[in-house]
Amino acid sequence: MTFAKRLFRRAAGGLAALLVASFLAFMILEASPGDVTDILVGDSATQAEKDAVRQEMGLDRPVIPRYFEFMENLLLHGDLGRSAVNNRPVTELIAQRFVNTFLLAISATLLALVVGVQFGLHAALHSRTWLDTLLSVAMAAGLSTPVFGLAILLTQVFSVQLGWLPAIGAGSIRHFVLPVLSLAVPTAAVIARLTRSSLLETLQMQYVTTAHGKGVPRNLVWRRHILRNSLVPVISLVGVQFGHLLAGAFIVETIFAWPGLGRLTVQAIFDQDYPVVLGSVILAVVIFQVLNLIVDLIHSLLDPRIRTAEA
């Protein structure tokens, strides 16, 4: 299959996923009790005043025509509408916050990738030794610790007790450390476990034994056969984890008052600012589709068998 065909198939699948996700999100938000008029006019407003605001915002119209109008503006003009709370363009709001979330997610992912691969590699090289046991315990601890618990623990130790790092805000690099660590530690544990198991499985493959039997230098065997094949599932995991961090870092952003997309989405849900929520959902779908395409391309470069099967 040519690259153009693969790209077209991925784009078609991404558009379908976008339509399904946006429709479900639109219907769920519409079925939720109350709406943004409760926030705009307050509890003391009369029903007539609320109805007047709803009519002015077009919320009294049927839901299906409103959904089609929303998708038409999105697909034809790239317009996500305006925030119902502060009347700013949703695209502008999301773009400002997305940069902060992207920096947080990419830093946490890179740190987790480096640490996780190193831990997994050393655990596999020293399988069934005290070092493997120690690293496995560290991986289990990282996996079993919830993100919010780790964030609170790091804040208590490094901010409250030691006073080394600020607990909230985003004014400097020092504000960046605790949120990144909170996201990176559990992700590194997942990557380390997968790296260890993938390496141990690859080491037992026949082609590795054959390469050693033919006298191929050990470094060359590791570089061309063991690491290259073992990293294929790790790359898939990193792509998925990066997508989750971009779309779901709202817990850490809320705890550390980090001005990111997750915190914006949570606030929009509380405010029932549905255009912002829909914009965040659509962005999450696009992110995962793009990451899936990138992961597929990397797989094709790392594993010739994938290119052969696609051809």
Side-chain angles (χ1 to χ4, degrees):
M1 184 181 295
T2 63
F3 176 76
K5 289 183 178 179
R6 291 175 56 204
L7 186 61
F8 176 77
R9 186 179 65 176
R10 179 65 68 182
L15 179 59
L18 176 64
L19 293 174
V20 172
S22 61
F23 181 77
L24 290 177
F26 203 95
M27 294 301 110
I28 291 173
L29 292 173
E30 183 66 24
S32 301
D35 55 43
V36 71
T37 58
D38 297 329
I39 304 296
L40 295 178
V41 301
D43 297 332
S44 60
T46 64
Q47 187 61 43
E49 292 173 333
K50 292 182 179 181
D51 291 340
V53 174
R54 283 178 56 83
Q55 184 176 6
E56 181 181 352
M57 298 177 65
L59 298 178
D60 59 330
R61 297 168 51 206
V63 61
I64 297 299
R66 285 194 286 119
Y67 170 73
F68 281 117
E69 181 182 348
F70 171 79
M71 292 306 300
E72 179 183 359
N73 291 331
L74 172 62
L75 297 178
L76 298 182
H77 309 290
D79 184 12
L80 290 170
R82 304 183 72 86
S83 168
V85 174
N86 53 34
N87 200 33
R88 291 178 59 189
V90 173
T91 305
E92 178 183 321
L93 288 173
I94 290 180
Q96 291 176 348
R97 297 296 188 94
F98 178 74
V99 172
N100 293 331
T101 298
F102 180 82
L103 292 175
L104 195 67
I106 193 67
S107 302
T109 302
L110 292 176
L111 178 60
L113 179 61
V114 172
V115 174
V117 169
Q118 288 296 320
F119 271 45
L121 178 61
H122 286 292
L125 289 174
H126 301 86
S127 178
R128 299 184 181 181
T129 65
W130 65 269
L131 181 59
D132 183 25
T133 302
L134 180 62
L135 292 175
S136 297
V137 171
M139 297 176 204
L143 285 170
S144 59
T145 304
V147 173
F148 70 88
L150 180 61
I152 294 173
L153 176 63
L154 292 175
T155 302
Q156 184 67 27
V157 173
F158 294 102
S159 181
V160 177
Q161 299 295 332
L162 299 176
W164 292 352
L165 298 169
I168 59 174
S172 66
I173 296 297
R174 295 173 67 243
H175 292 87
F176 200 60
V177 177
L178 293 183
V180 168
L181 288 177
S182 300
L183 293 173
V185 169
T187 305
V190 177
I191 294 174
R193 289 196 65 174
L194 181 60
T195 302
R196 177 185 180 276
S197 61
S198 183
L199 282 170
L200 291 177
E201 181 180 353
T202 305
L203 286 170
Q204 298 176 6
M205 292 295 180
Q206 185 64 41
Y207 60 83
V208 175
T209 305
T210 302
H212 284 302
K214 289 182 178 180
V216 179
R218 186 172 183 269
N219 291 338
L220 192 60
V221 174
W222 270 89
R223 186 171 65 253
R224 287 190 177 180
H225 298 289
I226 299 176
L227 288 177
R228 190 168 184 171
N229 290 294
S230 299
L231 288 179
V232 170
V234 175
I235 294 299
S236 298
L237 176 65
V238 170
V240 172
Q241 290 293 322
F242 180 59
H244 281 303
L245 292 181
L246 278 175
F250 59 90
I251 295 178
V252 169
E253 291 181 356
T254 301
I255 291 176
F256 292 105
W258 183 265
L261 181 61
R263 191 178 175 207
L264 173 68
T265 305
V266 171
Q267 188 60 51
I269 293 174
F270 285 132
D271 292 341
Q272 297 178 312
D273 194 352
Y274 295 157
V276 176
V277 178
L278 282 171
S280 300
V281 171
I282 289 171
L283 179 60
V285 174
V286 173
I287 287 171
F288 275 103
Q289 294 301 318
V290 172
L291 288 176
N292 284 337
L293 177 60
I294 294 174
V295 167
D296 287 346
L297 294 176
I298 295 176
H299 280 182
S300 299
L301 295 175
L302 290 177
D303 194 342
R305 295 171 298 179
I306 298 177
R307 293 197 299 268
T308 302
E310 291 174 345

